[in-house]
Protein backbone atom coordinates (compact mmCIF):
# COMPACT_ATOMS: atom_id res chain seq x y z
CA UNK A 1 0.00 0.00 0.00
CA UNK A 2 1.20 3.43 -0.90
CA UNK A 3 -0.19 6.42 0.95
CA UNK A 4 -0.47 10.02 -0.12
CA UNK A 5 2.30 10.82 2.40
CA UNK A 6 4.57 8.22 0.72
CA UNK A 7 3.96 9.88 -2.63
CA UNK A 8 4.75 13.31 -1.24
CA UNK A 9 7.93 11.94 0.29
CA UNK A 10 9.01 10.30 -2.99
CA UNK A 11 8.20 13.51 -4.86
CA UNK A 12 10.36 15.46 -2.44
CA UNK A 13 13.25 12.99 -2.88
CA UNK A 14 12.74 13.30 -6.66
CA UNK A 15 12.72 17.12 -6.42
CA UNK A 16 9.35 17.41 -8.18
CA UNK A 17 6.64 19.71 -6.90
CA UNK A 18 3.26 18.00 -7.41
CA UNK A 19 -0.14 19.59 -7.94
CA UNK A 20 -3.02 18.18 -5.86
CA UNK A 21 -4.62 16.36 -8.79
CA UNK A 22 -1.28 14.73 -9.65
CA UNK A 23 -0.89 13.37 -6.12
CA UNK A 24 -4.06 11.27 -6.29
CA UNK A 25 -3.30 10.07 -9.80
CA UNK A 26 0.29 9.08 -8.96
CA UNK A 27 -0.75 7.36 -5.75
CA UNK A 28 -3.05 5.10 -7.75
CA UNK A 29 -0.52 4.58 -10.59
CA UNK A 30 2.33 3.68 -8.27
CA UNK A 31 0.12 1.34 -6.29
CA UNK A 32 -0.97 -0.48 -9.46
CA UNK A 33 2.58 -0.77 -10.74
CA UNK A 34 3.98 -1.98 -7.41
CA UNK A 35 1.22 -4.55 -7.23
CA UNK A 36 2.24 -5.78 -10.68
CA UNK A 37 5.91 -5.84 -9.71
CA UNK A 38 5.10 -7.86 -6.61
CA UNK A 39 4.97 -10.97 -8.80
CA UNK A 40 8.77 -11.09 -8.44
CA UNK A 41 8.29 -12.09 -4.79
CA UNK A 42 7.23 -15.54 -6.01
CA UNK A 43 10.80 -16.24 -7.09
CA UNK A 44 13.42 -17.51 -4.68
CA UNK A 45 16.48 -15.39 -5.38
CA UNK A 46 18.37 -16.05 -2.16
CA UNK A 47 21.25 -17.76 -3.99
CA UNK A 48 21.31 -15.61 -7.10
CA UNK A 49 23.98 -13.02 -7.80
CA UNK A 50 22.68 -9.64 -9.01
CA UNK A 51 23.47 -8.47 -12.57
CA UNK A 52 23.83 -4.72 -12.75
CA UNK A 53 25.67 -4.82 -16.05
CA UNK A 54 26.11 -7.41 -18.79
CA UNK A 55 29.64 -6.28 -19.65
CA UNK A 56 32.61 -6.15 -17.28
CA UNK A 57 32.66 -2.44 -16.56
CA UNK A 58 35.80 -0.66 -15.54
CA UNK A 59 36.73 2.96 -15.50
CA UNK A 60 38.46 4.35 -18.57
CA UNK A 61 41.66 6.15 -17.71
CA UNK A 62 43.86 8.29 -19.87
CA UNK A 63 47.25 9.82 -19.41
CA UNK A 64 47.26 12.98 -17.32
CA UNK A 65 48.02 15.22 -20.28
CA UNK A 66 46.34 18.48 -21.20
CA UNK A 67 43.99 18.03 -24.14
CA UNK A 68 41.96 20.55 -26.03
CA UNK A 69 38.52 21.03 -24.51
CA UNK A 70 35.39 23.07 -24.94
CA UNK A 71 36.18 26.75 -24.37
CA UNK A 72 34.40 28.81 -21.73
CA UNK A 73 32.21 30.71 -24.17
CA UNK A 74 31.15 27.52 -26.01
CA UNK A 75 30.33 25.86 -22.68
CA UNK A 76 28.30 28.85 -21.53
CA UNK A 77 26.39 29.06 -24.79
CA UNK A 78 24.01 26.37 -23.53
CA UNK A 79 23.53 28.03 -20.14
CA UNK A 80 20.11 29.11 -18.94
CA UNK A 81 21.62 32.17 -17.27
CA UNK A 82 25.24 33.26 -16.92
CA UNK A 83 27.23 36.12 -15.53
CA UNK A 84 30.97 36.95 -15.52
CA UNK A 85 31.83 33.67 -17.27
CA UNK A 86 29.93 31.50 -14.79
CA UNK A 87 26.59 29.70 -14.62
CA UNK A 88 24.23 31.86 -12.57
CA UNK A 89 21.89 30.14 -10.07
CA UNK A 90 19.61 31.26 -7.24
CA UNK A 91 21.17 31.77 -3.83
CA UNK A 92 22.32 28.39 -2.47
CA UNK A 93 23.22 29.38 1.10
CA UNK A 94 20.38 31.25 2.76
CA UNK B 1 9.24 4.17 -58.41
CA UNK B 2 9.98 7.45 -56.63
CA UNK B 3 13.57 7.79 -55.45
CA UNK B 4 12.60 8.13 -51.81
CA UNK B 5 10.80 4.78 -51.96
CA UNK B 6 14.10 3.03 -52.61
CA UNK B 7 16.52 1.53 -50.11
CA UNK B 8 19.96 3.08 -49.62
CA UNK B 9 21.72 0.21 -51.38
CA UNK B 10 19.45 0.66 -54.40
CA UNK B 11 20.11 4.41 -54.37
CA UNK B 12 23.86 3.92 -54.05
CA UNK B 13 23.80 1.55 -57.05
CA UNK B 14 21.94 4.14 -59.11
CA UNK B 15 24.40 6.85 -58.10
CA UNK B 16 27.29 4.59 -59.09
CA UNK B 17 25.69 4.09 -62.52
CA UNK B 18 25.19 7.86 -62.85
CA UNK B 19 21.43 7.33 -63.02
CA UNK B 20 20.68 9.67 -60.15
CA UNK B 21 22.43 11.95 -57.68
CA UNK B 22 22.44 12.43 -53.93
CA UNK B 23 20.91 15.85 -54.54
CA UNK B 24 17.92 14.33 -56.37
CA UNK B 25 17.38 11.75 -53.66
CA UNK B 26 17.51 14.43 -50.99
CA UNK B 27 15.00 16.53 -52.99
CA UNK B 28 12.59 13.58 -53.26
CA UNK B 29 12.72 13.13 -49.47
CA UNK B 30 12.03 16.85 -48.91
CA UNK B 31 9.10 16.72 -51.34
CA UNK B 32 7.69 13.81 -49.39
CA UNK B 33 8.09 15.72 -46.13
CA UNK B 34 6.28 18.73 -47.62
CA UNK B 35 3.56 16.37 -48.74
CA UNK B 36 2.93 14.15 -45.73
CA UNK B 37 4.68 15.41 -42.60
CA UNK B 38 1.60 17.37 -41.56
CA UNK B 39 -0.32 14.11 -41.29
CA UNK B 40 2.47 11.92 -39.87
CA UNK B 41 4.35 14.33 -37.53
CA UNK B 42 7.42 12.11 -37.58
CA UNK B 43 9.82 14.94 -36.79
CA UNK B 44 10.36 16.87 -33.59
CA UNK B 45 12.60 19.38 -35.35
CA UNK B 46 13.71 19.61 -38.96
CA UNK B 47 17.15 21.03 -39.72
CA UNK B 48 17.26 24.36 -41.56
CA UNK B 49 17.37 23.40 -45.24
CA UNK B 50 19.72 26.27 -46.01
CA UNK B 51 22.26 24.81 -43.57
CA UNK B 52 22.29 21.32 -45.08
CA UNK B 53 25.17 20.53 -47.38
CA UNK B 54 25.53 17.43 -49.51
CA UNK B 55 28.92 15.97 -50.32
CA UNK B 56 28.51 13.76 -53.37
CA UNK B 57 32.06 12.48 -52.89
CA UNK B 58 31.36 10.87 -49.54
CA UNK B 59 30.41 7.17 -49.68
CA UNK B 60 26.93 7.38 -48.09
CA UNK B 61 25.09 10.63 -48.96
CA UNK B 62 21.83 9.20 -47.62
CA UNK B 63 19.09 11.30 -45.94
CA UNK B 64 18.68 10.11 -42.35
CA UNK B 65 16.39 10.95 -39.43
CA UNK B 66 17.95 10.90 -35.96
CA UNK B 67 15.99 10.28 -32.78
CA UNK B 68 15.60 13.44 -30.70
CA UNK B 69 17.78 12.04 -27.89
CA UNK B 70 21.10 12.13 -29.78
CA UNK B 71 23.18 15.30 -29.58
CA UNK B 72 23.80 17.07 -32.87
CA UNK B 73 26.10 20.09 -32.73
CA UNK B 74 24.08 23.34 -32.70
CA UNK B 75 20.83 21.51 -33.57
CA UNK B 76 18.06 21.66 -30.98
CA UNK B 77 18.03 18.27 -29.18
CA UNK B 78 15.21 17.89 -26.67
CA UNK B 79 14.30 14.23 -25.98
CA UNK B 80 10.86 15.56 -26.96
CA UNK B 81 10.63 17.12 -23.49
CA UNK B 82 9.76 20.65 -22.41
CA UNK B 83 12.67 20.55 -19.98
CA UNK B 84 15.17 20.59 -22.88
CA UNK B 85 13.36 22.99 -25.23
CA UNK B 86 15.92 25.23 -26.87
CA UNK B 87 18.90 23.06 -25.87
CA UNK B 88 21.51 23.14 -28.64
CA UNK B 89 24.40 20.76 -27.85
CA UNK B 90 27.96 21.98 -28.12
CA UNK B 91 29.15 18.63 -29.53
CA UNK B 92 28.13 15.73 -31.75
CA UNK B 93 27.29 12.30 -30.36
CA UNK B 94 29.79 9.69 -31.59
CA UNK B 95 27.18 8.11 -33.90
CA UNK B 96 26.43 11.54 -35.36
CA UNK B 97 30.13 12.17 -35.94
CA UNK B 98 30.38 8.82 -37.72
CA UNK B 99 27.29 9.51 -39.81
CA UNK B 100 28.56 12.95 -40.82
CA UNK B 101 31.95 11.46 -41.76
CA UNK B 102 30.22 8.93 -43.99
CA UNK B 103 28.30 11.67 -45.78
CA UNK B 104 24.87 10.87 -44.36
CA UNK B 105 22.52 13.87 -44.50
CA UNK B 106 20.89 14.56 -41.14
CA UNK B 107 17.51 15.99 -42.07
CA UNK B 108 16.12 16.37 -38.60
CA UNK B 109 15.41 15.01 -35.15
CA UNK B 110 12.64 12.42 -35.09
CA UNK B 111 9.83 12.57 -32.56
CA UNK B 112 9.89 10.16 -29.60
CA UNK B 113 8.24 9.44 -26.29
CA UNK B 114 9.54 11.97 -23.78
CA UNK B 115 12.98 10.72 -22.68
CA UNK B 116 12.07 7.45 -24.46
CA UNK B 117 9.50 6.72 -21.73
CA UNK B 118 6.75 5.00 -23.65
CA UNK B 119 5.70 2.54 -26.33
CA UNK B 120 3.58 4.77 -28.55
CA UNK B 121 5.31 8.16 -29.07
CA UNK B 122 2.28 9.73 -27.36
CA UNK B 123 4.19 11.17 -24.39
CA UNK B 124 6.17 13.58 -26.60
CA UNK B 125 5.82 17.29 -25.78
CA UNK B 126 5.24 17.79 -29.50
CA UNK B 127 2.19 15.52 -29.55
CA UNK B 128 1.86 12.05 -31.07
CA UNK B 129 3.32 10.74 -34.32
CA UNK B 130 0.84 8.92 -36.56
CA UNK B 131 1.36 5.46 -38.05
CA UNK B 132 1.82 5.85 -41.83
CA UNK B 133 -0.20 2.66 -42.46
CA UNK B 134 -3.19 3.95 -40.46
CA UNK B 135 -3.17 7.52 -39.23
CA UNK B 136 -5.48 6.68 -36.32
CA UNK B 137 -2.90 4.25 -34.93
CA UNK B 138 0.30 4.82 -32.98
CA UNK B 139 3.63 4.14 -34.69
CA UNK B 140 4.86 2.38 -31.55
CA UNK B 141 7.62 3.81 -29.44
CA UNK B 142 9.67 5.20 -28.17
CA UNK B 143 11.48 5.59 -31.54
CA UNK B 144 8.11 6.01 -33.29
CA UNK B 145 9.13 9.19 -35.12
CA UNK B 146 12.20 7.41 -36.53
CA UNK B 147 10.26 4.36 -37.77
CA UNK B 148 7.38 6.49 -39.12
CA UNK B 149 9.89 8.68 -41.00
CA UNK B 150 11.31 5.63 -42.79
CA UNK B 151 7.92 3.96 -43.35
CA UNK B 152 6.48 7.18 -44.84
CA UNK B 153 9.58 7.58 -47.08
CA UNK B 154 10.32 10.89 -45.33
CA UNK B 155 13.82 9.53 -44.69
CA UNK B 156 15.78 6.68 -46.25
CA UNK B 157 17.36 5.67 -42.96
CA UNK B 158 16.81 6.47 -39.30
CA UNK B 159 18.65 5.95 -36.04
CA UNK B 160 16.80 5.00 -32.88
CA UNK B 161 17.61 3.89 -29.36
CA UNK B 162 16.30 0.75 -27.69
CA UNK B 163 16.05 0.37 -23.91
CA UNK B 164 13.23 -2.19 -23.71
CA UNK B 165 12.15 -2.53 -27.34
CA UNK B 166 12.08 1.10 -28.46
CA UNK B 167 13.55 0.30 -31.88
CA UNK B 168 12.02 -3.13 -32.52
CA UNK B 169 8.43 -2.54 -31.35
CA UNK B 170 7.90 0.60 -33.51
CA UNK B 171 9.74 -1.09 -36.40
CA UNK B 172 7.18 -3.92 -36.18
CA UNK B 173 4.25 -1.47 -35.99
CA UNK B 174 5.53 0.53 -38.99
CA UNK B 175 6.67 -2.37 -41.21
CA UNK B 176 10.39 -1.57 -41.25
CA UNK B 177 13.58 -3.31 -40.09
CA UNK B 178 14.84 -2.30 -36.64
CA UNK B 179 17.97 -3.66 -34.96
CA UNK B 180 19.01 -3.47 -31.33
CA UNK B 181 22.70 -4.37 -31.41
CA UNK B 182 24.52 -6.14 -28.58
CA UNK B 183 24.91 -3.87 -25.55
CA UNK B 184 28.16 -1.96 -26.01
CA UNK B 185 28.40 -2.49 -29.77
CA UNK B 186 27.48 1.12 -30.62
CA UNK B 187 28.82 4.06 -28.61
CA UNK B 188 26.31 5.80 -26.35
CA UNK B 189 28.42 8.96 -26.10
CA UNK B 190 26.08 11.85 -26.81
CA UNK B 191 22.95 9.73 -26.39
CA UNK B 192 20.92 11.36 -23.61
CA UNK B 193 20.73 8.48 -21.15
CA UNK B 194 17.52 6.77 -20.04
CA UNK B 195 18.73 3.51 -18.46
CA UNK B 196 22.47 3.24 -18.91
CA UNK B 197 22.79 -0.53 -18.53
CA UNK B 198 20.07 -1.16 -21.15
CA UNK B 199 20.22 1.66 -23.73
CA UNK B 200 21.61 0.83 -27.13
CA UNK B 201 21.56 2.79 -30.40
CA UNK B 202 20.64 0.97 -33.60
CA UNK B 203 19.62 1.30 -37.27
CA UNK B 204 16.09 1.58 -38.68
CA UNK B 205 15.89 0.77 -42.39
CA UNK B 206 13.64 -0.63 -45.10
CA UNK B 207 15.51 -3.90 -45.44
CA UNK B 208 18.17 -6.07 -43.82
CA UNK B 209 20.85 -5.14 -46.33
CA UNK B 210 20.58 -1.45 -45.38
CA UNK B 211 20.65 -2.43 -41.70
CA UNK B 212 24.05 -4.10 -42.17
CA UNK B 213 25.37 -1.12 -44.17
CA UNK B 214 24.27 1.33 -41.48
CA UNK B 215 25.74 -0.85 -38.72
CA UNK B 216 29.10 -0.71 -40.51
CA UNK B 217 28.94 3.08 -40.17
CA UNK B 218 27.83 3.42 -36.54
CA UNK B 219 29.32 0.43 -34.67
CA UNK B 220 32.70 0.23 -32.97
CA UNK B 221 34.66 0.81 -29.78
CA UNK B 222 34.67 4.36 -28.46
CA UNK B 223 36.94 5.41 -25.59
CA UNK B 224 34.45 8.18 -24.77
CA UNK B 225 31.89 5.58 -23.66
CA UNK B 226 33.08 3.50 -20.70
CA UNK B 227 30.53 0.80 -21.57
CA UNK B 228 31.62 0.56 -25.19
CA UNK B 229 32.64 -3.03 -25.92
CA UNK B 230 36.28 -3.83 -26.48
CA UNK B 231 37.28 -7.14 -28.08
CA UNK B 232 38.16 -8.53 -24.64
CA UNK B 233 34.56 -7.91 -23.54
CA UNK B 234 33.30 -10.02 -26.40
CA UNK B 235 35.69 -12.71 -25.31
CA UNK B 236 34.46 -12.41 -21.75
CA UNK B 237 30.85 -12.74 -22.72
CA UNK B 238 31.59 -15.61 -25.03
CA UNK B 239 33.44 -17.69 -22.49
CA UNK B 240 31.19 -16.82 -19.61
CA UNK B 241 27.87 -17.30 -21.19
CA UNK B 242 26.99 -18.96 -24.37
CA UNK B 243 29.60 -19.83 -26.90
CA UNK B 244 30.20 -23.52 -27.23
CA UNK B 245 33.79 -24.62 -27.59
CA UNK B 246 33.43 -25.41 -31.28
CA UNK B 247 32.30 -21.95 -32.10
CA UNK B 248 35.14 -19.58 -32.60
CA UNK B 249 33.85 -16.14 -33.27
CA UNK B 250 35.98 -13.19 -34.17
CA UNK B 251 35.68 -10.57 -31.47
CA UNK B 252 36.82 -7.78 -33.74
CA UNK B 253 34.32 -5.54 -35.40
CA UNK B 254 33.19 -7.42 -38.52
CA UNK B 255 32.16 -6.11 -41.92
CA UNK B 256 28.46 -6.68 -41.31
CA UNK B 257 27.64 -6.72 -45.03
CA UNK B 258 29.68 -9.94 -45.33
CA UNK B 259 26.95 -11.59 -43.24
CA UNK B 260 24.36 -10.94 -45.95
CA UNK B 261 24.41 -14.56 -47.04
CA UNK B 262 21.43 -16.24 -48.65
CA UNK B 263 21.70 -19.49 -46.72
CA UNK B 264 20.24 -20.78 -43.47
CA UNK B 265 20.81 -24.46 -44.15
CA UNK B 266 21.60 -26.34 -40.97
CA UNK B 267 21.03 -23.42 -38.65
CA UNK B 268 19.33 -24.41 -35.41
CA UNK B 269 16.55 -22.00 -34.52
CA UNK B 270 14.57 -21.98 -31.27
CA UNK B 271 10.91 -21.16 -30.71
CA UNK B 272 10.33 -20.26 -27.06
CA UNK B 273 6.99 -21.61 -25.91
CA UNK B 274 6.56 -18.68 -23.51
CA UNK B 275 6.31 -16.30 -26.49
CA UNK B 276 3.32 -18.01 -28.09
CA UNK B 277 0.89 -17.50 -25.24
CA UNK B 278 -2.80 -16.75 -24.88
CA UNK B 279 -3.49 -13.11 -25.52
CA UNK B 280 -1.23 -12.89 -28.53
CA UNK B 281 -3.11 -11.78 -31.62
CA UNK B 282 -4.01 -14.76 -33.87
CA UNK B 283 -2.88 -12.97 -37.03
CA UNK B 284 0.48 -12.08 -35.51
CA UNK B 285 1.01 -15.66 -34.38
CA UNK B 286 0.09 -17.05 -37.80
CA UNK B 287 2.37 -14.62 -39.65
CA UNK B 288 5.35 -15.62 -37.52
CA UNK B 289 4.56 -19.34 -37.87
CA UNK B 290 4.38 -18.84 -41.65
CA UNK B 291 7.77 -17.11 -41.59
CA UNK B 292 9.17 -20.06 -39.66
CA UNK B 293 7.85 -22.41 -42.40
CA UNK B 294 9.63 -20.35 -45.04
CA UNK B 295 12.91 -20.62 -43.16
CA UNK B 296 12.36 -24.37 -42.76
CA UNK B 297 11.91 -24.57 -46.54
CA UNK B 298 15.38 -23.07 -46.84
CA UNK B 299 16.90 -25.73 -44.62
CA UNK B 300 16.84 -24.26 -41.11
CA UNK B 301 15.80 -26.58 -38.31
CA UNK B 302 13.49 -25.49 -35.52
CA UNK B 303 12.93 -26.77 -32.02
CA UNK B 304 10.80 -25.66 -29.14
CA UNK B 305 12.79 -24.17 -26.30
CA UNK B 306 11.91 -22.66 -22.94
CA UNK B 307 12.79 -19.28 -21.46
CA UNK B 308 11.06 -19.91 -18.15
CA UNK B 309 11.52 -16.47 -16.58
CA UNK B 310 9.91 -14.58 -19.48
CA UNK B 311 6.82 -13.67 -17.45
CA UNK B 312 8.99 -11.75 -14.97
CA UNK B 313 10.77 -9.63 -17.58
CA UNK B 314 8.39 -6.67 -17.64
CA UNK B 315 8.32 -6.32 -13.85
CA UNK B 316 12.11 -6.65 -13.63
CA UNK B 317 12.55 -4.10 -16.38
CA UNK B 318 10.31 -1.52 -14.75
CA UNK B 319 12.35 -1.68 -11.56
CA UNK B 320 15.77 -1.49 -13.20
CA UNK B 321 14.93 0.94 -16.01
CA UNK B 322 13.12 3.40 -13.75
CA UNK B 323 15.82 3.22 -11.08
CA UNK B 324 18.49 4.08 -13.61
CA UNK B 325 16.25 6.74 -15.15
CA UNK B 326 15.61 8.45 -11.83
CA UNK B 327 19.34 8.75 -11.38
CA UNK B 328 20.09 9.83 -14.98
CA UNK B 329 17.34 12.44 -15.01
CA UNK B 330 18.57 14.05 -11.80
CA UNK B 331 20.79 16.22 -14.02
CA UNK B 332 17.80 18.13 -15.37
CA UNK B 333 17.46 20.64 -12.58
CA UNK B 334 17.48 24.11 -14.16
CA UNK B 335 21.03 24.82 -13.03
CA UNK B 336 23.08 24.75 -16.21
CA UNK B 337 20.93 24.36 -19.32
CA UNK B 338 17.37 23.83 -20.49
CA UNK B 339 14.27 25.04 -18.69
CA UNK B 340 14.48 27.00 -15.41
CA UNK B 341 11.40 27.89 -13.37
CA UNK B 342 11.13 29.73 -10.07
CA UNK B 343 7.84 29.50 -8.16
CA UNK B 344 5.90 32.72 -7.58
CA UNK B 345 5.78 32.20 -3.83
CA UNK B 346 8.71 30.59 -1.98
CA UNK B 347 8.05 27.13 -0.46
CA UNK B 348 11.40 25.72 0.70
CA UNK B 349 14.87 27.21 0.11
CA UNK B 350 15.38 29.19 -3.09
CA UNK B 351 17.55 26.55 -4.78
CA UNK B 352 15.24 23.63 -3.88
CA UNK B 353 12.26 25.66 -5.04
CA UNK B 354 13.99 26.11 -8.39
CA UNK B 355 14.73 22.37 -8.74
CA UNK B 356 11.19 21.36 -7.82
CA UNK B 357 9.41 23.95 -9.95
CA UNK B 358 11.64 23.37 -12.98
CA UNK B 359 11.10 19.60 -12.86
CA UNK B 360 7.37 19.97 -12.18
CA UNK B 361 6.95 22.18 -15.24
CA UNK B 362 9.48 20.46 -17.49
CA UNK B 363 8.57 16.78 -17.13
CA UNK B 364 5.37 15.20 -18.45
CA UNK B 365 3.19 12.72 -16.56
CA UNK B 366 4.97 9.52 -17.64
CA UNK B 367 8.40 10.99 -16.87
CA UNK B 368 7.24 11.95 -13.36
CA UNK B 369 5.73 8.50 -12.87
CA UNK B 370 8.96 6.75 -13.84
CA UNK B 371 11.28 9.05 -11.90
CA UNK B 372 9.16 8.51 -8.80
CA UNK B 373 8.93 4.74 -9.24
CA UNK B 374 12.72 4.58 -9.63
CA UNK B 375 13.31 6.83 -6.66
CA UNK B 376 11.06 4.59 -4.58
CA UNK B 377 12.85 1.39 -5.70
CA UNK B 378 16.20 2.86 -4.73
CA UNK B 379 15.10 4.49 -1.50
CA UNK B 380 16.22 3.39 1.91
CA UNK B 381 14.13 0.49 3.22
CA UNK B 382 12.93 -0.58 -0.25
CA UNK B 383 16.22 -1.11 -2.06
CA UNK B 384 16.54 -4.81 -1.20
CA UNK B 385 12.93 -5.61 -2.02
CA UNK B 386 12.87 -3.79 -5.34
CA UNK B 387 16.12 -2.77 -7.01
CA UNK B 388 18.31 -5.56 -5.67
CA UNK B 389 15.65 -8.20 -6.28
CA UNK B 390 15.25 -6.83 -9.82
CA UNK B 391 18.97 -7.27 -10.49
CA UNK B 392 18.81 -10.86 -9.26
CA UNK B 393 15.87 -11.74 -11.47
CA UNK B 394 17.80 -10.12 -14.31
CA UNK B 395 20.46 -12.78 -13.72
CA UNK B 396 17.84 -15.52 -14.02
CA UNK B 397 16.51 -14.06 -17.27
CA UNK B 398 20.00 -13.84 -18.70
CA UNK B 399 20.75 -17.42 -17.67
CA UNK B 400 17.64 -18.57 -19.57
CA UNK B 401 19.24 -17.22 -22.75
CA UNK B 402 22.70 -18.60 -21.94
CA UNK B 403 21.14 -22.03 -21.62
CA UNK B 404 19.02 -21.68 -24.76
CA UNK B 405 21.97 -20.60 -26.89
CA UNK B 406 23.78 -23.81 -26.00
CA UNK B 407 21.15 -25.57 -28.11
CA UNK B 408 20.25 -23.07 -30.81
CA UNK B 409 21.94 -20.46 -33.02
CA UNK B 410 19.09 -17.97 -32.83
CA UNK B 411 15.61 -17.55 -31.37
CA UNK B 412 12.54 -16.57 -33.42
CA UNK B 413 9.48 -14.89 -31.86
CA UNK B 414 6.84 -12.29 -32.66
CA UNK B 415 8.20 -8.78 -31.96
CA UNK B 416 4.93 -7.66 -30.36
CA UNK B 417 1.79 -9.47 -29.18
CA UNK B 418 -0.47 -7.29 -31.38
CA UNK B 419 -0.32 -4.96 -34.36
CA UNK B 420 -0.36 -1.16 -33.82
CA UNK B 421 -3.06 0.02 -31.42
CA UNK B 422 -5.18 3.16 -31.68
CA UNK B 423 -3.92 6.54 -30.51
CA UNK B 424 -5.26 7.14 -27.00
CA UNK B 425 -6.16 3.48 -26.43
CA UNK B 426 -3.60 2.78 -23.70
CA UNK B 427 -2.60 6.21 -22.39
CA UNK B 428 -4.65 5.96 -19.21
CA UNK B 429 -3.45 2.44 -18.35
CA UNK B 430 0.34 2.43 -17.85
CA UNK B 431 0.58 -1.31 -17.23
CA UNK B 432 -1.17 -2.32 -20.45
CA UNK B 433 1.17 0.08 -22.26
CA UNK B 434 4.19 -1.52 -20.54
CA UNK B 435 3.01 -4.99 -21.57
CA UNK B 436 3.24 -4.12 -25.27
CA UNK B 437 7.02 -4.57 -24.80
CA UNK B 438 6.66 -8.03 -23.30
CA UNK B 439 8.63 -9.80 -26.08
CA UNK B 440 11.38 -7.23 -26.55
CA UNK B 441 12.47 -6.40 -22.99
CA UNK B 442 14.43 -9.58 -22.27
CA UNK B 443 17.01 -8.84 -24.98
CA UNK B 444 17.90 -5.58 -23.21
CA UNK B 445 18.09 -7.22 -19.80
CA UNK B 446 20.43 -9.88 -21.27
CA UNK B 447 22.40 -7.54 -23.53
CA UNK B 448 21.88 -9.72 -26.61
CA UNK B 449 21.26 -8.45 -30.16
CA UNK B 450 17.76 -8.66 -31.64
CA UNK B 451 16.14 -7.53 -34.86
CA UNK B 452 12.55 -6.99 -36.01
CA UNK B 453 11.75 -7.79 -39.62
CA UNK B 454 8.41 -7.31 -41.44
CA UNK B 455 6.73 -10.71 -41.87
CA UNK B 456 3.14 -9.96 -42.89
CA UNK B 457 0.13 -7.72 -42.66
CA UNK B 458 -3.11 -8.02 -40.73
CA UNK B 459 -6.54 -7.93 -42.37
CA UNK B 460 -6.61 -4.21 -41.45
CA UNK B 461 -3.42 -3.74 -43.45
CA UNK B 462 -1.22 -3.17 -40.40
CA UNK B 463 2.35 -4.52 -40.46
CA UNK B 464 3.48 -7.52 -38.37
CA UNK B 465 7.05 -8.02 -37.16
CA UNK B 466 9.13 -11.12 -36.52
CA UNK B 467 11.88 -10.84 -33.91
CA UNK B 468 15.13 -12.77 -34.17
CA UNK B 469 17.53 -12.84 -31.21
CA UNK B 470 21.11 -14.12 -31.24
CA UNK B 471 24.12 -14.60 -28.98
CA UNK B 472 26.06 -11.57 -27.75
CA UNK B 473 28.07 -9.94 -30.56
CA UNK B 474 26.50 -12.17 -33.20
CA UNK B 475 24.52 -9.56 -35.14
CA UNK B 476 25.84 -11.38 -38.22
CA UNK B 477 23.53 -14.29 -37.44
CA UNK B 478 20.55 -11.90 -37.46
CA UNK B 479 21.62 -10.42 -40.79
CA UNK B 480 22.11 -13.86 -42.31
CA UNK B 481 18.68 -15.15 -41.30
CA UNK B 482 16.95 -11.86 -42.11
CA UNK B 483 18.65 -11.54 -45.48
CA UNK B 484 17.73 -15.10 -46.45
CA UNK B 485 14.14 -14.48 -45.39
CA UNK B 486 13.96 -11.31 -47.51
CA UNK B 487 15.20 -13.19 -50.58
CA UNK B 488 12.09 -15.41 -50.46
CA UNK B 489 9.48 -12.88 -49.27
CA UNK B 490 8.58 -9.33 -50.22
CA UNK B 491 6.90 -7.86 -47.14
CA UNK B 492 9.81 -5.43 -46.89
CA UNK B 493 9.04 -4.12 -50.38
CA UNK B 494 5.60 -2.80 -49.51
CA UNK B 495 5.44 1.01 -49.40
CA UNK B 496 2.82 3.41 -48.13
CA UNK B 497 1.48 5.86 -50.69
CA UNK B 498 1.07 9.24 -49.04
Amino acid sequence: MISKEDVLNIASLSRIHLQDNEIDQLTKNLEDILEYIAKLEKLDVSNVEPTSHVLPIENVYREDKVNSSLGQSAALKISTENQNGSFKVPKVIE
Amino acid sequence: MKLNYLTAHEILDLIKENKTSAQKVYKSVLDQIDNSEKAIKAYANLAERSEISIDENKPFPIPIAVKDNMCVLDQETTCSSNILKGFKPSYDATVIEKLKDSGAIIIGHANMDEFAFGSSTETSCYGPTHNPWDLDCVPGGSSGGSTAAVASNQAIWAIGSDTGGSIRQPAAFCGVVGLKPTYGRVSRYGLIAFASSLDQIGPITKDVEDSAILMNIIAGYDPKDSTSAKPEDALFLNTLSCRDDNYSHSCDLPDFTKALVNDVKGLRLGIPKEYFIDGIDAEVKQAVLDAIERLKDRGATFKEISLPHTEYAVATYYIIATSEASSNLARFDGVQYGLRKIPERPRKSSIVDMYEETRAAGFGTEAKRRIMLGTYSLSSGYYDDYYLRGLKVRTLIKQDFDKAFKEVDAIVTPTTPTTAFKIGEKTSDPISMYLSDIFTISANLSGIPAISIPCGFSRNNLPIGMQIMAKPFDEEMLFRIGYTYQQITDWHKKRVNL
Side-chain angles (χ1 to χ4, degrees), chain B residues 293-322:
Chain B
E293 285 307 314
R294 302 309 300 271
L295 290 167
K296 270 189 197 161
D297 292 343
R298 298 286 286 115
T301 62
F302 278 85
K303 67 184 284 189
E304 187 180 271
I305 57 165
S306 176
L307 299 166
H309 295 93
T310 299
E311 66 160 305
Y312 301 103
V314 174
T316 305
Y317 173 82
Y318 276 92
I319 294 175
I320 294 172
T322 59

Side-chain angles (χ1 to χ4, degrees), chain A residues 10 14-15 17 22 29 39-40 43 48-49 51-53 55 78-81 88 90-91 94, chain B residues 88 183 227 311 336-338 340 350 354 356 359-360 368-369 372 375 389 391-392 394-395 435:
Chain A
I10 304 165
S14 309
R15 297 281 194 235
H17 178 71
E22 289 180 303
N29 286 159
K39 66 156 61 182
L40 298 186
L43 288 169
V48 181
E49 286 293 315
T51 298
S52 57
H53 241 280
L55 294 178
I78 59 162
S79 67
T80 311
E81 218 182 327
K88 190 178 176 190
K91 199 157 81 175
E94 303 281 332
Chain B
K88 291 187 176 175
Y183 182 81
T227 61
E311 66 160 305
Q336 286 165 302
Y337 49 84
R340 176 184 292 180
S350 62
M354 182 193 76
E356 294 194 346
R359 291 163 66 80
K368 287 176 188 168
R369 203 149 44 211
M372 290 182 59
T375 304
R389 177 173 286 268
L391 295 183
K392 289 179 173 179
R394 182 178 188 178
T395 304
L435 287 172

